[in-house]
Amino acid sequence: MWYSGRPTTMPTASNSTIKKGRKRVLAIDDEPAMTEWLKMVIEGEGYEVRTALIGTRGEEVFKQWRPDVVVTDLMLPDIDGIQLLRRLKDVDPWPEIIVISGQGTVARAVEAGQAGAFFFLEKPITQDGLMDMLHKAIDRTQERAEHQQLKEQIRGQYSFANIVGQSKKMKDLFELIESVAASDANILIQGENGTGKELIANAIHYNSNRVKGPFIKINCAAIPKDLIESELFGHEKGAFTGAQTDKVGLFEMAEGGSLLL
C-alpha cells in the first residue's frame, strides 16, 4: 500500500481484559471413577472443575460455562471423541483440548491433532503427566488472551474513532479511510509535515483485512538512490558487486500485509 493525511489522535486503552480468577477445566469421560479422579486431581491444583459422563452433556456444559481447557476421553458412549472435539472447536476455538484414550494409535493421535487437540495422552495417565500438559495448555490460553488484548489495544489506538475532527472535511475523510481499508487498492496519502499521514496509514492497516500480516514502514528518502531498487525488490547473491548474500525485498516482506513508503 502507498501511504503518505492529516489528523491527530488521542489513544484510548482497550476495554478488553484477560479473564481473571480460577481457570476452568471441563473433564469428559464415561467412567465415573475416572471423572472423579480427574476432578480431584485438577481441583487439587487450584482449578475450577466440572465433569460430564457423555459427550452431549459435555458439549452443553462447554457452551454454558466456557472453560479454559477441556480434558476428554476419545471413546464416549454417545459420540466419537474426534467428532466432539470438532464440535467444541466450532462453538469456541479458544479453549485448548487435551484428548485421552485407552486405545491410542498414531493415526488417531494425528487425527485428534488435525481436529485441533492440544495434546494426546494415552491411558493409563499419571497425575504428573496430566498436570504437566494441563499447565502448558493453561499457559497457552493465557498467552493467546494476552496477545489478543494487545492486538485490540493496538487496533483501538489506531481506530477511526480516535482521530480527532468534527468538520465536514474530516468526516468525509473518515468515510474515505473506512472504504479504502476494506479494499486491496494502492493508496496515496498526501499532506504537509505533521498533518498525520502515518496516522492515517496506521488506521488503514489496522482496520483492514491485512491486519494479521506484517506492516512494513520505510523512509525512502533515507535510502541511497542506487540502493532503492535492491531494498524494494531484493536481490540474489552475486547480482552485483558487493551482493554477498540473497536479500529479501520489502515488497516480499510485506506480503499479506501493508507496505508504507
Side-chain angles (χ1 to χ4, degrees):
M1 300 185 84
W2 294 78
Y3 291 143
S4 204
R6 239 173 172 74
T8 54
T9 63
M10 296 179 65
T12 59
S14 169
N15 290 326
S16 68
T17 56
I18 299 171
K19 187 163 64 176
K20 304 295 184 181
R22 297 169 65 195
K23 297 299 181 181
R24 298 176 171 183
V25 179
L26 170 61
I28 308 171
D29 197 292
D30 62 334
E31 299 178 16
M34 185 63 178
T35 55
E36 285 300 315
W37 180 81
L38 290 170
K39 184 174 174 34
M40 177 189 69
V41 169
I42 298 171
E43 280 186 339
E45 293 289 323
Y47 299 112
E48 187 176 352
V49 183
R50 291 190 182 179
T51 62
L53 295 173
I54 58 175
T56 50
R57 176 55 185 159
E59 186 176 1
E60 290 176 3
V61 175
F62 183 88
K63 290 178 179 178
Q64 298 169 1
W65 194 50
R66 295 304 171 97
D68 298 283
V69 176
V70 177
V71 179
T72 181
D73 193 358
L74 198 61
M75 303 295 291
L76 297 169
D78 61 332
I79 185 174
D80 178 70
I82 301 295
Q83 184 182 356
L84 174 63
L85 195 161
R86 292 194 177 103
R87 286 167 63 163
L88 296 183
K89 286 293 183 180
D90 285 341
V91 173
D92 186 352
W94 282 91
E96 298 294 354
I97 301 179
I98 298 172
V99 174
I100 57 177
S101 175
Q103 301 177 7
T105 65
V106 173
R108 289 292 271 173
V110 170
E111 189 178 5
Q114 292 174 337
F118 176 73
F119 202 80
F120 185 95
L121 288 174
E122 187 174 357
K123 292 180 179 178
I125 59 175
T126 65
Q127 180 173 338
D128 289 343
L130 172 65
M131 296 316 304
D132 179 56
M133 282 302 108
L134 186 58
H135 291 325
K136 290 178 179 177
I138 290 290
D139 288 343
R140 175 95 171 265
T141 60
Q142 185 72 8
E143 289 172 1
R144 291 170 66 188
E146 290 171 352
H147 177 74
Q148 180 67 19
Q149 183 183 52
L150 177 60
K151 187 163 69 173
E152 290 176 2
Q153 288 175 339
I154 292 173
R155 294 193 69 173
Q157 181 178 351
Y158 298 119
S159 69
F160 306 139
N162 291 323
I163 302 177
V164 177
Q166 296 298 323
S167 69
K168 176 67 166 59
K169 286 187 176 181
M170 288 302 298
K171 290 179 180 178
D172 289 344
L173 178 59
F174 296 157
E175 292 180 2
L176 180 59
I177 293 171
E178 190 168 9
S179 65
V180 299
S183 78
D184 288 324
N186 293 326
I187 300 166
L188 174 64
I189 303 175
Q190 295 177 303
E192 298 176 1
N193 288 340
T195 55
K197 296 184 292 296
E198 187 171 346
L199 175 63
I200 295 297
N202 288 333
I204 292 172
H205 174 75
Y206 287 106
N207 289 276
S208 74
N209 294 328
R210 298 171 300 282
V211 65
K212 293 182 180 179
F215 189 13
I216 306 297
K217 302 179 182 181
I218 181 68
N219 179 4
C220 294
I223 303 176
K225 179 181 176 181
D226 56 345
L227 293 180
I228 188 69
E229 183 178 357
S230 176
E231 287 294 323
L232 293 178
F233 300 102
H235 61 253
E236 294 184 352
K237 180 180 178 180
F240 53 85
T241 303
Q244 298 180 352
T245 61
D246 292 345
K247 177 179 176 59
V248 177
L250 294 170
F251 280 109
E252 185 175 350
M253 290 176 62
E255 177 69 23
S258 302
L259 176 63
L260 170 60
L261 303 175

